[in-house]
Amino acid sequence: MGSIIGTMGCSSSVADRKSENVIRAAILIQKWYRFTMARLEMRRRYSLSIFQSIEYADEQDQLQLSNFFTFMLDHCTHPDSVSQIFTSPSAPQVVDEDLCLKEFEKKIDVPDSYYGPRLSFPLTVEDANALLHAFRNEQLLHARYVLQLLSETRRVLKEMPNITHLSTSYSKEITVCGDLHGNLDDLLLIFYKNGLPSEQNRYVFNGDFVDRGKNSMEILIILFAFLLIYPNDLHLNRGNHEDYIMNLRYGFTKEVSKKYKDHWKQILCLLRDVFSWLPLATIIDSKVLILHGGISDTTDLDFLNALERNKLKSLMRPPKSVKERQDQTEKRIPTTKPSKHIANQHVAGKTQHNSSSGFPEPSGSNLPPDPALKEWKQILDILWSDPRSQNGCTPNKSRGGGCYFGPDVTAKLFERYNLKMLIRSHEFKPEGYEISHDGKVITIFSASNYYEEGSNRGAYIKLNPELIPRFVQYQVSKFTRRKNLRERVGTIESSALKSLREKIYAHKSELTSAFAQYDVNGTGRISVNDWAAAMESVLQLELPWRMLRSQLAQMNPDGEVDFMSCFYDLKMGQPTKEAQPALAETLCRYRKDLEIIFNIIDKDHSGLISLEEFSQTWRLFTSHLGIDVQDDSIDKLVLSIDYNKDGHIDFSEFLEAFHVVHRLEKKATS
Amino acid sequence: MPSATAQHSSRPVFCQCHSLSGLVADIQRKITEAFEVFDRESNKTVDVREIGCIVRSLGCFPNEAEVQELLAQIEVEEPDGFVHLKNFLPVMTRVLLDKRFRPIPEDVILHAFEALDENKCGYITKEDLVKHLTEKGEPFTQEEMEDMLAVALDPETNTLHYRDYRVKLVVDETKTFPFNV
């Protein structure tokens, strides 16, 4: 593999020799280039892998939360206990059904200083254009109009069946869009490329309009406005994120509370209703089924069409009938088996007992079938399932809800209902779409740059009257100069690694114990294999640890890993003297869960809960998780946070103290 | 550290700290890891078109023809064109044990660029670059060519100063990817 100048036969001319050199040089350069491109592709892939694993692990945490709610219901019958709030539907103030447009007009004043759009009902295209224009300029729609819009939307949605039937007979093409997740730029780009909704330009939006992105509210406003203007031409399906408990975790609730400081409670309350009235699916020409997640081997479209969809405000809490709860008081301890995920007994464990669809069912699952439970499972399956290439229907272990369904399940459903295609969303796809099950199943994902700038394209489907799909891809770009591939991958990679490091930090004590078990001589170093094994078993993320090692931990010249080095440049947000390290770490790891729980406890949305409520909840939560925390340690900590000494704490402030900060980043910004 | 020479492909490689079986196990773990990154559905298969990428990200430096030869040795499941890990593993393990397709030293790449630089002035024009790389050797696709130009070309002069480009490439690689067997 040495030099370019090879030995030549004496009959070759100089020109021949030269051109041979050039060819060899070209091959070499091409080889080298493809080598670097391959490595770049590997980095891109594992970065996306990191994002996706963490996202799914997060969704599993959400499942644990529901499990916790069930646990609380099982364990707390004391009337004064905190869990009381779970026994009644925790709707703080149900917005009166009779509250109409005029009521909002009377009750909420719009000041003259407001220069945003002023909507007048019934809405017209002018109103829609005004909204688009305002949102492009980052204006907010006034709370009064939001409430009016939502109340009108609810009124219109109520008239619709669970499954909408469309026909392509008179229109040109129907456009189907997937997850938007609060990315307003993507929606605007779609409208720019494909035109605004109208009688001649019909749209189906397949769920997950909210959470994660920062313009979930604006997306809803636009979609609902067009729904009111063109109720026969713009159709919405419910996604798994159109769920108030998901919104507590994934950012939508926070967005609303920040944008609408005076009216967010009302808005969220009304939204909870509106979401539950969103149709579950759309069928085009009786041949193309469009729904958010997927199907299972028990999916029953007739049953789905007949149930009362608005009863299920959130899928995070399986329904409990009165009878079941009475039975529960006899069987005190639910039969939880420790999950195989527990690495070390003395640190936090997770327990779960799974039904066939994955989500925890109330312990009385061997009781006669409960119709409410069947309804819940049917909807859960269509909103949470993912297609896979293996046959069969198995619980969706990545997400903890719904199932994985194979080509045989699809084929059977198609045969039963005489269908030709299934269009679904719910899963991130680097190209914005993917075709599976031999062309029968299409995944459409419309949020470009979902994980990070440059991570993926978005796409939408154009379905013509022959029901042949055509795909249009796009990618929103903030930068006027197109970043080259190397820069894009660099951005994605550092963002992914940052998330991963946070997760590592949140599991510091578990990891330290796991490492120590391999470090027999107490040298502080272990082999790469042992390090990788420890990381995998504690974090439960299937990632290429050996490949990532160089980014996460230092290695000495002997080829051994200095395992504590992975914690070096990370620390807690605010150093809290009163918190012992173990306690602080637990709070850090479960920050999001606690935020959700506290939000639910805080019935009047004041942002405060009493010390008593806090302590009780904390005790229940840690006992459910099997964490051993000293009783008085949390009390001391809480007292130190109660600055006013008035018996209440601002839990957002409290939790804010336990987020992970990257030291290097902090240095850069300070 | 004693090492096998390329010609004796059946002679095992030893190093001071590993037994052969330990080394093989290590290699197989690395191969599996790289493979699984491309395994979309976690069912131990990858699209056959990704094999070149996987081989290269394991530190190997084959040209396209060599990738095809390698593929010929691996059983590909018809009709989808998927490769199963169990078929890939033995072939790839052999490749790594034998240290085939080793990377080329940086100065050799430099010579390659020099060979394209007819006037020996230290840079190559965009036109010449495109001509050579899209018409000769194992030609670039349009996308590959555009991407290389995006990184390497000086937009003001439309030339490639190969000494700089080479440095960029090499530095990036050693900084972020010491995944060496």
Side-chain angles (χ1 to χ4, degrees):
Chain A
M1 283 276 198
S3 73
I4 302 296
I5 318 291
T7 48
M8 303 288 175
C10 27
S11 55
S12 301
S13 68
V14 172
D16 279 348
R17 200 181 315 157
K18 212 169 156 205
S19 80
E20 255 190 68
N21 285 345
V22 165
I23 291 174
R24 276 199 213 143
I27 292 183
L28 218 66
I29 293 170
Q30 287 152 349
K31 215 160 57 150
W32 183 271
Y33 177 80
R34 286 172 176 137
F35 178 72
T36 50
M37 282 300 113
R39 299 193 130 179
L40 210 59
E41 178 63 14
M42 173 58 88
R43 284 165 61 198
R44 190 182 75 90
R45 290 286 183 116
Y46 71 52
S47 299
L48 293 179
S49 202
I50 291 173
F51 280 129
Q52 202 156 35
S53 316
I54 293 181
E55 181 179 19
Y56 286 4
D58 224 23
E59 290 183 353
Q60 286 211 31
D61 285 350
Q62 191 61 26
L63 154 70
Q64 290 300 313
L65 205 57
S66 329
N67 201 9
F68 174 57
F69 294 154
T70 313
F71 176 82
M72 285 180 91
L73 280 166
D74 288 349
H75 279 71
C76 301
T77 50
H78 192 280
D80 295 339
S81 79
V82 150
S83 72
Q84 257 251 301
I85 45 136
F86 293 103
T87 62
S88 54
S90 73
Q93 332 142 235
V94 180
V95 177
D96 198 345
E97 295 280 318
D98 295 336
L99 222 54
C100 62
L101 297 175
K102 287 244 175 349
E103 292 287 319
F104 285 122
E105 205 174 307
K106 270 194 294 183
K107 291 188 173 188
I108 305 174
D109 183 46
V110 180
D112 291 338
S113 54
Y114 170 73
Y115 282 108
R118 290 171 186 257
L119 304 179
S120 59
F121 294 83
L123 293 182
T124 62
V125 173
E126 281 73 44
D127 292 301
N129 284 324
L131 287 168
L132 287 168
H133 179 79
F135 295 155
R136 274 197 205 98
N137 293 309
E138 298 183 12
Q139 286 179 314
L140 286 180
L141 180 67
H142 193 278
R144 180 218 279 178
Y145 301 119
V146 174
L147 289 163
Q148 287 182 320
L149 178 70
L150 292 178
S151 128
E152 278 298 289
T153 305
R154 178 176 61 181
R155 186 180 61 75
V156 167
L157 286 175
K158 268 175 157 179
E159 305 297 315
M160 295 179 177
N162 296 350
I163 300 181
T164 310
H165 286 264
L166 295 182
S167 143
T168 56
S169 55
Y170 64 91
S171 69
K172 289 183 293 196
E173 284 176 317
I174 298 183
T175 306
V176 184
C177 300
D179 295 28
L180 285 168
H181 280 302
N183 281 6
L184 180 62
D185 287 339
D186 285 310
L187 183 60
L188 294 175
L189 186 56
I190 294 171
F191 284 165
Y192 177 74
K193 284 171 88 80
N194 198 51
L196 295 179
S198 70
E199 286 110 346
Q200 291 76 39
N201 196 15
R202 301 161 87 189
Y203 277 88
V204 177
F205 284 89
N206 202 14
D208 277 13
F209 320 119
V210 302
D211 279 334
R212 299 188 201 276
K214 60 184 178 61
N215 291 107
S216 301
M217 196 68 234
E218 283 70 41
I219 288 190
L220 283 183
I221 292 170
I222 293 172
L223 293 178
F224 291 159
F226 278 110
L227 175 79
L228 293 177
I229 302 169
Y230 299 110
N232 297 319
D233 306 300
L234 183 119
H235 303 275
L236 304 173
N237 289 338
R238 189 177 185 182
N240 64 311
H241 277 263
E242 275 70 58
D243 180 324
Y244 75 96
I245 296 191
M246 290 293 275
N247 300 150
L248 279 167
R249 184 182 210 102
Y250 290 104
F252 181 43
T253 308
K254 204 174 242 177
E255 179 189 326
V256 176
S257 66
K258 286 209 157 80
K259 284 178 176 169
Y260 294 99
K261 293 192 164 40
D262 297 324
H263 294 96
W264 59 279
K265 305 167 203 170
Q266 272 184 291
I267 292 176
L268 286 175
C269 210
L270 196 37
L271 267 170
R272 189 182 306 191
D273 241 17
V274 171
F275 283 166
S276 72
W277 277 112
L278 286 168
L280 299 172
T282 303
I283 299 183
I284 300 184
D285 288 347
S286 308
K287 288 255 165 273
V288 178
L289 173 63
I290 309 176
L291 40 78
H292 179 73
I295 55 174
S296 77
D297 51 358
T298 55
T299 294
D300 182 343
L301 293 180
D302 303 309
F303 181 81
L304 279 166
N305 203 27
L307 55 78
E308 285 178 66
R309 69 181 189 269
N310 68 307
K311 285 191 318 200
L312 279 114
K313 301 281 184 268
S314 168
L315 291 175
M316 301 285 101
R317 288 160 55 187
K320 282 177 84 72
S321 66
V322 173
K323 181 181 186 303
E324 270 172 39
R325 274 193 49 242
Q326 282 171 355
D327 289 345
Q328 235 73 80
T329 54
E330 272 110 58
K331 318 187 260 164
R332 215 16 99 103
I333 317 290
T335 46
T336 59
K337 59 181 195 312
S339 141
K340 63 181 165 75
H341 295 187
I342 297 176
N344 295 294
Q345 292 298 323
H346 60 280
V347 197
K350 286 186 173 182
T351 57
Q352 44 173 287
H353 48 127
N354 288 323
S355 68
S356 65
S357 65
F359 266 120
E361 282 181 358
S363 318
S365 51
N366 42 3
L367 290 169
D370 176 10
L373 212 58
K374 182 178 176 188
E375 285 177 356
W376 171 74
K377 185 184 185 300
Q378 286 278 328
I379 298 185
L380 190 71
D381 284 342
I382 62 170
L383 258 40
W384 279 81
S385 300
D386 294 315
R388 285 293 178 267
S389 55
Q390 287 110 325
N391 278 335
C393 187
T394 53
N396 190 324
K397 60 177 170 55
S398 302
R399 298 188 191 265
C403 61
Y404 292 130
F405 64 98
D408 55 333
V409 178
T410 305
K412 224 161 162 190
L413 190 94
F414 280 21
E415 202 192 303
R416 183 172 170 191
Y417 295 106
N418 205 7
L419 297 167
K420 188 177 104 113
M421 200 192 309
L422 169 64
I423 298 177
R424 44 88 63 176
S425 302
H426 194 44
E427 268 186 304
F428 161 89
K429 295 295 172 197
E431 291 300 312
Y433 73 95
E434 192 172 270
I435 305 176
S436 43
H437 291 192
D438 202 27
K440 296 203 184 74
V441 175
I442 297 178
T443 302
I444 188 74
F445 192 83
S446 301
S448 70
N449 303 327
Y450 180 60
Y451 287 124
E452 179 54 73
E453 173 79 21
S455 67
N456 66 297
R457 290 173 151 145
Y460 55 85
I461 304 174
K462 305 280 295 176
L463 211 55
N464 68 11
E466 276 82 59
L467 303 177
I468 311 286
R470 185 166 65 82
F471 299 95
V472 179
Q473 295 168 297
Y474 53 85
Q475 192 161 14
V476 170
S477 177
K478 286 196 185 52
F479 301 99
T480 47
R481 174 180 80 81
R482 182 181 158 262
K483 271 184 169 182
N484 66 46
L485 186 59
R486 188 165 282 118
E487 285 170 326
R488 287 203 312 267
V489 172
T491 306
I492 298 171
E493 191 186 24
S494 45
S495 185
L497 288 171
K498 186 170 159 194
S499 301
L500 186 55
R501 288 188 190 109
E502 285 180 11
K503 236 184 151 68
I504 289 173
Y505 188 77
H507 289 79
K508 189 171 170 181
S509 23
E510 266 186 80
L511 282 169
T512 308
S513 308
F515 293 147
Q517 285 188 359
Y518 289 106
D519 182 20
V520 182
N521 298 327
T523 57
R525 294 186 298 277
I526 56 179
S527 73
V528 177
N529 282 331
D530 291 340
W531 181 85
M535 295 297 276
E536 171 101 23
S537 83
V538 170
L539 296 177
Q540 285 295 307
L541 297 171
E542 282 179 19
L543 294 173
W545 293 109
R546 287 168 192 79
M547 254 187 254
L548 297 170
R549 198 266 328 139
S550 61
Q551 310 267 25
L552 298 174
Q554 288 165 18
M555 192 161 79
N556 67 15
D558 290 336
E560 291 192 303
V561 180
D562 171 2
F563 52 80
M564 291 309 283
S565 64
C566 47
F567 307 116
Y568 283 172
D569 73 327
L570 302 164
K571 66 182 179 100
M572 206 77 84
Q574 276 170 48
T576 37
K577 297 194 300 296
E578 293 77 10
Q580 300 159 2
L583 176 60
E585 188 188 311
T586 308
L587 282 164
C588 185
R589 184 170 351 168
Y590 295 104
R591 208 170 70 93
K592 276 212 144 99
D593 294 299
L594 291 169
E595 192 173 1
I596 294 172
I597 295 171
F598 291 151
N599 265 300
I600 293 182
I601 294 174
D602 177 25
K603 274 179 143 166
D604 62 357
H605 293 280
S606 58
L608 306 169
I609 61 172
S610 74
L611 297 183
E612 180 56 33
E613 285 172 327
F614 182 96
S615 285
Q616 252 188 51
T617 308
W618 176 256
R619 260 181 257 285
L620 275 171
F621 192 62
T622 50
S623 113
H624 165 70
L625 290 170
I627 305 170
D628 181 23
V629 178
Q630 285 172 302
D631 263 351
D632 62 347
S633 61
I634 191 69
D635 294 330
K636 274 199 222 136
L637 178 61
V638 162
L639 280 169
S640 74
I641 306 278
D642 177 14
Y643 302 117
N644 302 333
K645 305 285 173 256
D646 64 350
H648 282 81
I649 59 169
D650 180 334
F651 55 83
S652 305
E653 259 185 53
F654 173 67
L655 290 173
E656 194 53 33
F658 296 95
H659 74 278
V660 178
V661 170
H662 302 258
R663 270 188 233 269
L664 297 178
E665 213 181 1
K666 245 199 152 197
K667 272 200 205 130
T669 52
S670 60
Chain B
M1 192 152 77
S3 61
T5 51
Q7 285 85 15
H8 299 89
S9 57
S10 56
R11 193 159 65 183
V13 176
F14 284 92
C15 90
Q16 281 167 350
C17 35
H18 289 115
S19 64
L20 174 63
S21 60
L23 181 66
V24 169
D26 245 10
I27 285 175
Q28 294 199 327
R29 270 189 279 255
K30 282 179 177 150
I31 295 172
T32 306
E33 239 189 31
F35 188 90
E36 283 177 347
V37 174
F38 288 84
D39 177 9
R40 295 274 193 91
E41 294 191 4
S42 306
N43 59 2
K44 305 259 187 281
T45 64
V46 303
D47 191 322
V48 65
R49 292 166 291 184
E50 320 260 41
I51 293 292
C53 206
I54 298 174
V55 171
R56 289 181 172 110
S57 60
L58 282 164
C60 294
F61 203 73
N63 58 31
E64 290 296 300
E66 285 163 336
V67 172
Q68 290 308 313
E69 273 172 41
L70 210 57
L71 274 172
Q73 295 174 40
I74 306 169
E75 206 183 294
V76 177
E77 271 157 44
E78 295 302 326
D80 297 1
F82 280 96
V83 174
H84 199 284
L85 178 62
K86 66 177 191 294
N87 298 324
F88 181 69
L89 203 55
V91 176
M92 196 63 215
T93 307
R94 197 75 259 165
V95 166
L96 291 180
L97 277 175
D98 295 347
K99 294 193 190 269
R100 284 164 66 191
F101 314 129
R102 299 309 289 157
I104 290 192
E106 307 87 69
D107 56 329
V108 175
I109 293 294
L110 185 62
H111 288 315
F113 277 110
E114 279 175 354
L116 297 186
D117 177 10
E118 296 189 1
N119 304 326
K120 307 291 171 237
C121 45
Y123 62 84
I124 307 171
T125 64
K126 178 180 170 185
E127 290 70 34
D128 281 348
L129 206 59
V130 172
K131 187 181 71 174
H132 290 311
L133 296 176
T134 59
E135 291 173 19
K136 305 198 168 91
E138 291 177 329
F140 275 165
T141 62
Q142 192 184 355
E143 207 184 322
E144 285 176 314
M145 193 68 248
E146 277 173 14
D147 223 36
M148 182 179 180
L149 291 174
V151 175
L153 210 64
D154 173 5
E156 286 173 27
T157 58
N158 258 356
T159 59
L160 176 113
H161 291 258
Y162 46 85
R163 289 180 188 272
D164 300 330
Y165 176 45
R166 183 188 56 82
V167 169
K168 251 196 245 177
L169 269 183
V170 173
V171 167
D172 279 355
E173 281 320 299
T174 50
K175 189 170 60 169
T176 60
F177 222 97
F179 192 66
N180 299 310
V181 178

